[in-house]
Amino acid sequence: MKKLLGEERRIELLALLKNAKQPLTGTDLAKHTNVSRQVIVNDMNLLKARNEPIVATSQGYVYMHHVQQEKFTRKIVCAHKPDEAKDELFILVDCGVTVESVIVEHPVYGEITASIMVSNRLEVEQFVKRVEESNALYLSALTDGTHLHVISATSKESIKLAEAKLRERGFLIEH
């Protein structure tokens, strides 16, 4: 494909995201439009500034279509060792919960939030693999394992079950 310029490229990116059945990586979008990954990052920021509902997840960019199904969201506080992160995420997705983000409180930067957006075991495996392959640390490493998650589900019961399972495992911190 020829190199797409400016607004023409952003229109193409929006169309790709709106029609995608799964997240699209910056690298894949860059190849498709024949530009660098950094150009894609800049384009995504420009589109977000126009209030396009684009989310950068650990799997790639997602266009958040308005879903008619009701969604329940909650913030939970967890603590565990880094090698238990996969177990925590498995517990949550096995209960029918989507882990939308992780939040830590940094002494200098304040609240740091990162999108995770995992809803099943395959997505958890892919997320953990990327962390391991990049030698990155989980954000909870900044806070000795304590962190918040924004979780969502289509039923309150799924969230209650997830909390109960995390409580059993000793991962949930409560008042």
Side-chain angles (χ1 to χ4, degrees):
M1 176 175 227
K2 72 174 184 141
K3 184 175 185 174
L4 294 178
L5 301 176
E7 193 58 26
E8 180 185 10
R9 182 181 57 249
R10 287 185 282 281
I11 290 168
E12 175 72 9
L13 292 171
L14 263 180
L16 289 168
L17 288 169
K18 286 179 178 179
N19 293 316
K21 302 285 189 243
Q22 60 191 21
L24 299 174
T25 67
T27 302
D28 289 341
L29 292 169
K31 286 178 187 173
H32 182 82
T33 56
N34 201 22
V35 296
S36 71
R37 188 183 163 287
Q38 187 57 50
V39 169
I40 297 300
V41 170
N42 293 340
D43 283 344
M44 291 301 144
N45 288 331
L46 288 168
L47 291 169
K48 288 178 194 179
R50 295 180 191 169
N51 293 319
E52 291 292 348
I54 297 169
V55 177
T57 72
S58 59
Q59 290 86 36
Y61 293 103
V62 176
Y63 190 89
M64 301 301 288
H65 297 278
H66 296 289
V67 180
Q68 296 299 327
Q69 194 169 28
E70 189 171 11
K71 180 173 96 168
F72 299 92
T73 304
R74 179 166 301 159
K75 275 188 185 176
I76 58 173
V77 182
C78 297
H80 55 75
K81 297 176 191 149
D83 64 349
E84 297 172 313
K86 185 176 180 179
D87 294 338
E88 174 204 46
L89 294 172
F90 275 167
I91 289 169
L92 290 165
V93 300
D94 287 351
C95 291
V97 167
T98 295
V99 183
E100 294 188 5
S101 61
V102 60
I103 305 166
V104 296
E105 185 76 26
H106 190 274
V108 175
Y109 298 110
E111 194 173 271
I112 299 173
T113 303
S115 176
I116 297 178
M117 295 304 285
V118 294
S119 300
N120 58 55
R121 283 183 168 253
L122 176 61
E123 291 172 351
V124 169
E125 291 280 3
Q126 291 170 337
F127 173 75
V128 170
K129 183 179 179 185
R130 274 192 300 283
V131 170
E132 291 170 354
E133 286 177 348
S134 66
N135 291 319
L137 296 175
Y138 292 102
L139 281 183
S140 59
L142 298 171
T143 55
D144 292 326
T146 302
H147 57 285
L148 289 90
H149 281 300
V150 174
I151 60 173
S152 63
T154 56
S155 73
K156 290 179 183 178
E157 291 74 25
S158 293
I159 290 176
K160 287 178 183 177
L161 177 62
E163 289 176 322
K165 297 283 185 183
L166 290 173
R167 189 177 298 112
E168 284 173 21
R169 193 61 200 277
F171 291 163
L172 190 66
I173 296 181
E174 301 179 271
H175 314 263

